[in-house]
Amino acid sequence: MKILAIAGSNSDVSMNKQLVAYASTLFENAEVEVVDLNPFEMPIYKHERELAGGVPQEAHDFAAKIDGANVLLVALAEHNGTYSTAFKNVFDWVSRIKDRTVWNEVPMLLMSTSPGGRGGAGVLDAASKRFPFHGGNVVETFSLPFFNDNFDKTTRQISNEEKINELKEKIKKIAAIETILEK
């Protein structure tokens, strides 16, 4: 099973990157690639830019990574209740590739974390509603509130037993779906 773990942030110390990297370790017998958005930085989407130069190669490269995965783990940073600008720009450019949906129906575990008690609830809600219109097969969502209290930065793991168990159950569900799809 190939897992593409995407952190929807361009921060070098992204808590969502830490969360998605940890979640990817909970899959058995999987090949994992954790994707940093920084190599996919492109000019801000603008229709005139697309007409003048087409869709940037970085968008095609990002789409190829999605197409090569059996499972997507997507942990989105929440900026003012929705996606980070860095993520939204990659999403916008990939959506402009002719004859494709952004997520290509690859089974997805959608996640978010934040320092506050809502755990990125706003961005999870926005993405859960929007992604299916772009080929998003959102199987499960997971929110980790109070990141600094519930994630051990030394061990790079969730430290809250209840949240660990919740995440493991959701991973079992998505892994089972992928196993069925492989047959």
Side-chain angles (χ1 to χ4, degrees):
M1 178 182 333
K2 288 186 176 181
I3 296 172
L4 185 64
I6 302 167
S9 169
N10 62 349
S11 169
D12 293 333
V13 294
S14 167
M15 62 184 70
N16 281 282
K17 187 173 184 181
Q18 293 174 67
L19 174 62
V20 79
Y22 167 68
S24 71
T25 68
L26 300 176
F27 284 84
E28 295 181 15
N29 304 317
E31 179 186 325
V32 176
E33 180 181 3
V34 179
V35 174
D36 184 323
L37 286 185
N38 287 301
F40 301 98
E41 189 171 308
M42 296 170 266
I44 292 174
Y45 178 78
K46 181 175 166 180
H47 181 67
E48 291 83 1
R49 267 193 192 111
E50 181 183 1
L51 291 175
V55 176
Q57 185 59 46
E58 292 88 347
H60 291 280
D61 294 344
F62 192 84
K65 288 188 177 296
I66 292 168
D67 295 345
N70 303 105
V71 171
L72 299 174
L73 302 181
V74 180
L76 297 172
E78 183 175 277
H79 291 191
N80 297 317
T82 193
Y83 322 112
S84 70
T85 302
F87 174 80
K88 179 69 166 75
N89 195 51
V90 172
F91 180 83
D92 287 344
W93 275 114
V94 173
S95 77
R96 300 302 300 157
I97 297 172
K98 187 171 174 45
D99 298 326
R100 85 160 283 122
T101 62
V102 174
W103 302 112
N104 204 23
E105 299 298 330
V106 178
M108 178 188 303
L109 171 57
L110 185 59
M111 301 179 282
S112 188
T113 188
S114 72
R118 296 198 55 211
V123 72
L124 281 178
D125 184 54
S128 294
K129 289 176 180 171
R130 171 64 22 212
F131 285 8
F133 293 106
H134 298 275
N137 180 4
V138 180
V139 176
E140 284 287 350
T141 63
F142 176 78
S143 171
L144 182 66
F146 302 113
F147 178 81
N148 295 318
D149 297 330
N150 289 319
F151 195 90
D152 185 322
K153 291 178 189 100
T154 304
T155 62
R156 298 181 182 269
Q157 299 180 52
I158 294 175
S159 55
N160 177 312
E161 200 64 38
E162 185 178 310
K163 294 306 275 184
I164 291 170
N165 292 334
E166 178 187 343
L167 180 57
K168 285 181 178 179
E169 284 302 312
K170 292 178 181 212
I171 285 173
K172 277 184 197 173
K173 182 176 178 182
I174 200 165
I177 288 169
E178 179 47 37
T179 302
I180 291 167
L181 292 174
E182 286 179 346
K183 293 181 180 180

